[in-house]
Amino acid sequence: MAKISNSKGKRWPPNVGENMGRVRFRKKIPVDVELTFGKKHFQEYLPVDATATFDEAFEAAKPAKLRYDALVKSLRNTSIDAFTENELEALAAEYLRKANLDRGDLAPHNIGPEFIKRHGLEGIEERVGRKLTSDDLMRIFFPGISGPSDRVDELKAKLGISEGGLFSEVIKAEPTIQEIAQLRAAEAATSVRSRQPKTLTSYWQDYLEFNGFDDPDNRVVKRMQKRWDRFLARVGDHIVTPDTQQLIDDALEDQVAERIKQVAPTTATRELKEVVSALNVMALKQRPKWPTFRIPKVPSHQEKERPPLSIEDQITLVNHCLSNEHDWVSAVHLLELQGGMMAQEIRTLKTDDLHLEGNYPHIIVRKGKTTARTRVIPIVLGLSVIKTNIKEAISRLDVKDPSATPRNRIKKLFEGRYTCHCLRHTIRLNGTSNNANPLHIEAICGWSSTIMNKQMLHYGNAGLADSSEAMRQLFQASIQIHQHLLELDEQVVAAPNVAQIR
C-alpha cells in the first residue's frame, strides 16, 4: 500500500516516504535475517526531492528495491549459484553505496589529498611509508575480499597442516556471495567510469536522445515513455547481460498475451514498436551481437466497428448540445460533428485560430495527426454555443487524456453505443448521403492533403475568408452536409450568396 505523508497528504509509492525533507526508500528486514544484518530496516535516500511526482519517486526507488531484494537474498543464501547476474550486480552496488563510493572513485587518477581527507584516511600513508594504491584502498573499503584465503590459512592451522603437507591442495574455501559482491564492488570502484555496466533504462535513454526525443513534456515522448514503462514493469530494469536476451523475449510475449485481452491486437503491437526499436539498437551494441528482437505475432482480429450516428441520434445529440448552451462539452461535440475534430485538436487551438465573426465563421486547425489534418472548419451549426464555450473547452481539455470527459458524456447519452470517434465517421456519412462534393468533405475533415486545404489555411491566416470564393464553396458544402440538422438551430448561419438548403 502506498505511503501517505501526514505532513502534506501526498501519496508516495510503496516503501517510499519523506524524512526531514528528504525522500527515502525504507523497508523492514525480515525477522529471520534481522540479527545477521544487524538492523531492523534497510533504507536508502533517493535522488529526488519532496516535489517529485508519484511516477518520479517510483522510478527513483527501483534500484533501491533491487538492492534490498539482493541483500535479503544474500543474508539467506551464501551460494553464488543461487544468484542471477543482475542480483549480484545489485548487491555489489549496495556495497558501493555503504562505502560511500561511486564507480571509478578508487581509480589511480582519483586518489589524491582531497580523497584522503574526504574519507578520513589522513596519516595512513605516513604509517605505511608510501603512497596508497588502488589495491590498498580496495582492502580498506572492502575488507571482505581477502576473506577466502584467510579462512584457508585458519583451517590449515587448526588441522595442523604445514605448507605443502598432505591434503593441502584439496582444502579450498569457496567464496561467499558477500565476498564475490564486494569484489565486484571493488572492481567497479577502481575502473574508469566509461566501463560501468549499462541497464535497460540507460539504453532507452540513449535511444531517445539519439533520435531527438529530448523533451520529456512533449506529447509524443510522453506516450513513448509510457509504453516503455509498461514493458519495463514486466521485465524489470536489468543490468544487461547475456541472460537478458531470454528475459526480454519472454517479457515481449507475456505483454502481448496480456494486452490483447484489454486492447485490440493492433494496439498491443503498436505499443511495442518503439520499445523493440530501442532493444534492437541495444542488441547491435552487444559483443558478440545479439539476434534481432521482434514483436510477437498476434491472432487475427476483426477491427472494432465505429458506427456513425443514425439521423435520430444526431438530432438527439444536437438538441442536447443546443439546450445545454453553457456546457463546454456541448461546444466540443458540435465541433467534432461539424469538422471531424478530435479533443486533442481542439486543445491545441489558440485565440488566433478562432474566427467566429463575419460572413464565414470558421476555425483553423494548425496541428493534427497528419499534415492533411491542418485545415479550416466552417461553423454552420451551434455557432452561439461554440462562441460561448470554446475558450473554456480549450482550457478543460488541457489534461492528460483530453478525450475522457467528452467520450464519457457521449457514452452516457447513448448508453455506450457511440464514442467521440464515431462523430468523425458520421460527417463522412452525412456528406455522402447529402451529395456533397467529396473533395470538400475531405478538405473539411482533413482526410486528404488537397490544394483546397492550403488555400483555406492561407485565407484564414490572412483574414481574407469573407472575400474568398474557395471559402464560400467550402461553407456551402458544410451547409449541405448538415442540412438535416440546421432546422434544429434557431440561429442558423446563412452567409451572403450561399443558398440555404432545407
Side-chain angles (χ1 to χ4, degrees):
M1 184 176 179
K3 182 173 180 179
I4 304 294
S5 170
N6 293 328
S7 61
K8 299 181 180 179
K10 183 173 183 176
R11 180 170 175 260
W12 292 105
N15 304 306
V16 175
E18 188 179 343
N19 181 47
M20 304 294 289
R22 299 175 65 191
V23 180
R24 69 178 177 183
F25 174 89
R26 188 171 189 264
K27 191 171 183 180
K28 193 177 187 305
I29 297 293
V31 176
D32 59 318
V33 292
E34 185 180 303
L35 289 177
T36 306
F37 184 60
K39 296 180 181 179
K40 290 187 176 182
H41 292 88
F42 169 94
Q43 75 172 24
E44 180 177 330
Y45 285 96
L46 305 180
V48 294
D49 59 29
T51 63
T53 64
F54 182 97
D55 290 341
E56 290 170 342
F58 182 82
E59 289 299 317
K62 282 182 178 179
K65 173 65 166 56
L66 188 62
R67 288 190 278 272
Y68 168 85
D69 292 339
L71 173 65
V72 171
K73 187 172 182 178
S74 73
L75 296 172
R76 287 175 170 161
N77 192 330
T78 60
S79 172
I80 184 65
D81 295 331
F83 284 76
T84 66
E85 185 71 15
N86 291 294
E87 290 171 329
L88 185 55
E89 287 287 350
L91 193 58
E94 173 58 16
Y95 277 113
L96 268 179
R97 189 187 69 83
K98 288 174 66 176
N100 196 27
L101 293 174
D102 288 328
R103 294 181 180 273
D105 273 1
L106 300 186
H109 65 279
N110 285 327
I111 302 173
E114 183 181 345
F115 177 91
I116 297 294
K117 183 177 181 180
R118 184 167 71 249
H119 290 281
L121 301 176
E122 298 94 333
I124 291 184
E125 291 184 334
E126 287 76 5
R127 290 199 296 273
V128 299
R130 58 179 172 79
K131 293 286 185 180
L132 289 175
T133 66
S134 292
D135 286 343
D136 295 330
L137 294 170
M138 285 171 62
R139 283 174 166 74
I140 291 173
F141 285 95
F142 307 102
I145 61 177
S146 59
S149 59
D150 293 342
R151 291 204 313 279
V152 171
D153 293 339
E154 181 182 352
L155 184 57
K156 285 181 178 180
K158 287 183 178 179
L159 293 175
I161 299 175
S162 60
E163 186 66 29
L166 188 64
F167 306 127
S168 64
E169 296 301 319
V170 179
I171 297 176
K172 295 181 180 179
E174 292 296 328
T176 66
I177 186 64
Q178 289 86 357
E179 291 163 345
I180 294 294
Q182 286 194 58
L183 184 59
R184 286 281 186 95
E187 290 175 343
T190 55
S191 300
V192 294
R193 293 181 184 275
S194 62
R195 296 184 59 191
Q196 53 184 299
K198 300 275 284 185
T199 62
L200 288 175
T201 292
S202 64
Y203 277 112
W204 171 250
Q205 294 301 329
D206 290 347
Y207 173 78
L208 292 179
E209 182 177 348
F210 181 80
N211 288 282
F213 299 117
D214 51 3
D215 181 5
D217 295 324
N218 180 274
R219 178 171 172 261
V220 174
V221 177
K222 283 183 176 180
R223 183 172 62 240
M224 291 172 62
Q225 187 65 48
K226 181 179 180 180
R227 292 170 177 175
W228 171 261
D229 290 342
R230 179 182 288 119
F231 167 75
L232 194 66
R234 187 172 298 278
V235 72
D237 190 16
H238 293 282
I239 292 168
V240 176
T241 69
D243 295 336
T244 312
Q245 288 183 62
Q246 187 63 50
L247 292 171
I248 291 172
D249 280 329
D250 291 344
L252 290 172
E253 291 180 1
D254 290 345
Q255 177 163 329
V256 168
E258 182 64 28
R259 288 295 284 166
I260 60 176
K261 299 176 183 177
Q262 305 163 348
V263 298
T266 51
T267 301
T269 56
R270 185 170 62 248
E271 290 174 345
L272 287 174
K273 182 180 178 182
E274 294 95 353
V275 171
V276 170
S277 294
L279 293 175
N280 283 328
V281 172
M282 177 192 72
L284 288 172
K285 294 182 179 180
Q286 303 309 305
R287 299 293 183 272
K289 292 181 179 179
W290 290 2
T292 301
F293 291 104
R294 299 184 184 279
I295 299 175
K297 291 183 179 180
V298 296
S300 58
H301 171 70
Q302 186 69 33
E303 189 69 26
K304 185 177 180 181
E305 184 180 357
R306 289 186 172 124
L309 274 65
S310 66
I311 298 297
E312 289 184 1
D313 288 338
Q314 290 180 48
I315 292 173
T316 298
L317 177 64
V318 172
N319 276 330
H320 175 81
C321 293
L322 295 177
S323 61
N324 291 273
E325 58 182 339
H326 295 293
D327 184 354
W328 65 271
V329 180
S330 296
V332 172
H333 286 157
L334 287 168
L335 290 174
E336 290 174 333
L337 179 63
Q338 292 181 82
M341 294 190 75
M342 307 302 292
Q344 174 61 30
E345 291 178 327
I346 299 173
R347 179 173 74 170
T348 62
L349 295 176
K350 308 297 182 185
T351 302
D352 293 344
D353 302 329
L354 309 177
H355 301 270
L356 301 177
E357 306 294 340
N359 295 333
Y360 305 111
H362 61 277
I363 285 177
I364 299 175
V365 180
R366 301 181 192 276
K367 295 182 180 180
K369 200 172 182 180
T370 66
T371 55
R373 288 280 186 95
T374 301
R375 61 200 192 276
V376 172
I377 298 173
I379 304 300
V380 300
L381 185 65
L383 177 61
S384 62
V385 176
I386 294 172
K387 279 183 178 180
T388 302
N389 299 287
I390 185 61
K391 291 185 178 179
E392 182 182 359
I394 294 170
S395 175
R396 292 292 192 98
L397 293 174
D398 191 17
V399 293
K400 184 175 182 180
D401 183 5
S403 61
T405 299
R407 179 177 63 242
N408 292 337
R409 292 280 192 91
I410 204 168
K411 281 185 175 181
K412 183 177 180 181
L413 185 62
F414 295 108
E415 299 179 342
R417 289 183 288 120
Y418 303 117
T419 66
C420 292
H421 205 83
C422 294
L423 296 176
R424 187 163 171 78
H425 294 259
T426 301
I427 186 174
R428 184 192 287 273
L429 178 66
N430 287 344
T432 303
S433 300
N434 292 322
N435 297 315
N437 186 325
L439 291 178
H440 291 156
I441 300 173
E442 291 178 352
I444 292 172
C445 297
W447 277 310
S448 175
S449 186
T450 63
I451 187 65
M452 181 163 283
N453 271 359
K454 297 177 181 179
Q455 288 177 342
M456 295 304 96
L457 195 62
H458 169 74
Y459 285 120
N461 285 335
L464 302 174
D466 285 351
S467 61
S468 164
E469 173 60 22
M471 180 66 80
R472 188 192 69 80
Q473 292 179 20
L474 201 65
F475 203 85
Q476 183 173 11
S478 189
I479 289 177
Q480 187 172 351
I481 291 170
H482 304 289
Q483 60 181 280
H484 58 291
L485 301 172
L486 296 182
E487 62 184 13
L488 303 175
D489 189 0
E490 294 179 357
Q491 298 183 18
V492 173
V493 175
N497 303 317
V498 176
Q500 190 79 20
I501 302 176
R502 291 293 188 185

